Amino acid sequence: MSEPTDLTLRTLIELREAIKAGFDRMDDRFAKLETRLESVKKAAFGESLVGRYMAAEVEERIEALEQRLAALEGKH
């Protein structure tokens, strides 16, 4: 049988390796989550920019129609 010191040391080394492997897996998962989160942020920001652009275009068209209507009403 091994000496208790050797057995304890070997067990601690194995435990340290197992813990390190677990943290490495967690780091990988967090990196993937951060990448996904950045993608979602970019997509949401892009959609909001498109929405703002479209809303501004609709406002301009409504304003043009109101001006034409005001001009037509003024002629009669």
PDB file of all heavy atoms in Angstrom, residues 6 17 36 43 53 63 65:
ATOM      1  N   ASP A   6       1.821  10.085   0.015  1.00  0.00           N
ATOM      2  CA  ASP A   6       1.777   9.943  -1.433  1.00  0.00           C
ATOM      3  C   ASP A   6       0.335   9.861  -1.937  1.00  0.00           C
ATOM      4  O   ASP A   6      -0.005  10.444  -2.961  1.00  0.00           O
ATOM      5  CB  ASP A   6       2.541   8.686  -1.876  1.00  0.00           C
ATOM      6  CG  ASP A   6       4.037   8.794  -1.618  1.00  0.00           C
ATOM      7  OD1 ASP A   6       4.528   9.933  -1.502  1.00  0.00           O
ATOM      8  OD2 ASP A   6       4.686   7.741  -1.543  1.00  0.00           O
ATOM      9  N   GLU A  17      -6.604  18.920 -10.988  1.00  0.00           N
ATOM     10  CA  GLU A  17      -6.789  18.754 -12.428  1.00  0.00           C
ATOM     11  C   GLU A  17      -8.277  18.733 -12.791  1.00  0.00           C
ATOM     12  O   GLU A  17      -8.696  19.335 -13.787  1.00  0.00           O
ATOM     13  CB  GLU A  17      -6.097  17.484 -12.909  1.00  0.00           C
ATOM     14  CG  GLU A  17      -4.585  17.573 -12.866  1.00  0.00           C
ATOM     15  CD  GLU A  17      -3.902  16.243 -13.143  1.00  0.00           C
ATOM     16  OE1 GLU A  17      -4.609  15.221 -13.310  1.00  0.00           O
ATOM     17  OE2 GLU A  17      -2.664  16.222 -13.183  1.00  0.00           O
ATOM     18  N   ARG A  36     -22.745  35.121 -28.099  1.00  0.00           N
ATOM     19  CA  ARG A  36     -24.174  35.144 -28.450  1.00  0.00           C
ATOM     20  C   ARG A  36     -24.832  36.444 -28.004  1.00  0.00           C
ATOM     21  O   ARG A  36     -25.637  37.026 -28.718  1.00  0.00           O
ATOM     22  CB  ARG A  36     -24.905  33.971 -27.808  1.00  0.00           C
ATOM     23  CG  ARG A  36     -24.683  32.671 -28.476  1.00  0.00           C
ATOM     24  CD  ARG A  36     -25.496  31.598 -27.791  1.00  0.00           C
ATOM     25  NE  ARG A  36     -25.437  30.352 -28.503  1.00  0.00           N
ATOM     26  CZ  ARG A  36     -25.997  29.244 -28.083  1.00  0.00           C
ATOM     27  NH1 ARG A  36     -26.658  29.242 -26.937  1.00  0.00           N
ATOM     28  NH2 ARG A  36     -25.903  28.139 -28.776  1.00  0.00           N
ATOM     29  N   ALA A  43     -27.892  42.700 -33.306  1.00  0.00           N
ATOM     30  CA  ALA A  43     -29.127  42.517 -34.064  1.00  0.00           C
ATOM     31  C   ALA A  43     -30.204  43.472 -33.567  1.00  0.00           C
ATOM     32  O   ALA A  43     -30.910  44.097 -34.369  1.00  0.00           O
ATOM     33  CB  ALA A  43     -29.605  41.068 -33.952  1.00  0.00           C
ATOM     34  N   TYR A  53     -35.294  54.516 -39.125  1.00  0.00           N
ATOM     35  CA  TYR A  53     -35.220  54.993 -40.492  1.00  0.00           C
ATOM     36  C   TYR A  53     -36.589  54.897 -41.164  1.00  0.00           C
ATOM     37  O   TYR A  53     -37.042  55.836 -41.823  1.00  0.00           O
ATOM     38  CB  TYR A  53     -34.178  54.183 -41.271  1.00  0.00           C
ATOM     39  CG  TYR A  53     -34.119  54.534 -42.733  1.00  0.00           C
ATOM     40  CD1 TYR A  53     -33.508  55.706 -43.155  1.00  0.00           C
ATOM     41  CD2 TYR A  53     -34.681  53.696 -43.695  1.00  0.00           C
ATOM     42  CE1 TYR A  53     -33.453  56.040 -44.487  1.00  0.00           C
ATOM     43  CE2 TYR A  53     -34.626  54.018 -45.035  1.00  0.00           C
ATOM     44  CZ  TYR A  53     -34.015  55.194 -45.431  1.00  0.00           C
ATOM     45  OH  TYR A  53     -33.972  55.512 -46.762  1.00  0.00           O
ATOM     46  N   GLU A  63     -45.994  64.066 -43.751  1.00  0.00           N
ATOM     47  CA  GLU A  63     -45.828  65.520 -43.792  1.00  0.00           C
ATOM     48  C   GLU A  63     -46.030  66.043 -45.211  1.00  0.00           C
ATOM     49  O   GLU A  63     -46.702  67.073 -45.420  1.00  0.00           O
ATOM     50  CB  GLU A  63     -44.444  65.902 -43.286  1.00  0.00           C
ATOM     51  CG  GLU A  63     -44.226  67.398 -43.169  1.00  0.00           C
ATOM     52  CD  GLU A  63     -42.867  67.738 -42.602  1.00  0.00           C
ATOM     53  OE1 GLU A  63     -42.338  66.962 -41.785  1.00  0.00           O
ATOM     54  OE2 GLU A  63     -42.340  68.796 -42.999  1.00  0.00           O
ATOM     55  N   LEU A  65     -47.860  64.661 -47.551  1.00  0.00           N
ATOM     56  CA  LEU A  65     -49.298  64.556 -47.841  1.00  0.00           C
ATOM     57  C   LEU A  65     -50.086  65.678 -47.165  1.00  0.00           C
ATOM     58  O   LEU A  65     -51.015  66.253 -47.760  1.00  0.00           O
ATOM     59  CB  LEU A  65     -49.837  63.196 -47.406  1.00  0.00           C
ATOM     60  CG  LEU A  65     -49.387  61.996 -48.244  1.00  0.00           C
ATOM     61  CD1 LEU A  65     -49.830  60.705 -47.569  1.00  0.00           C
ATOM     62  CD2 LEU A  65     -49.951  62.087 -49.660  1.00  0.00           C
TER      63      LEU A  65
END
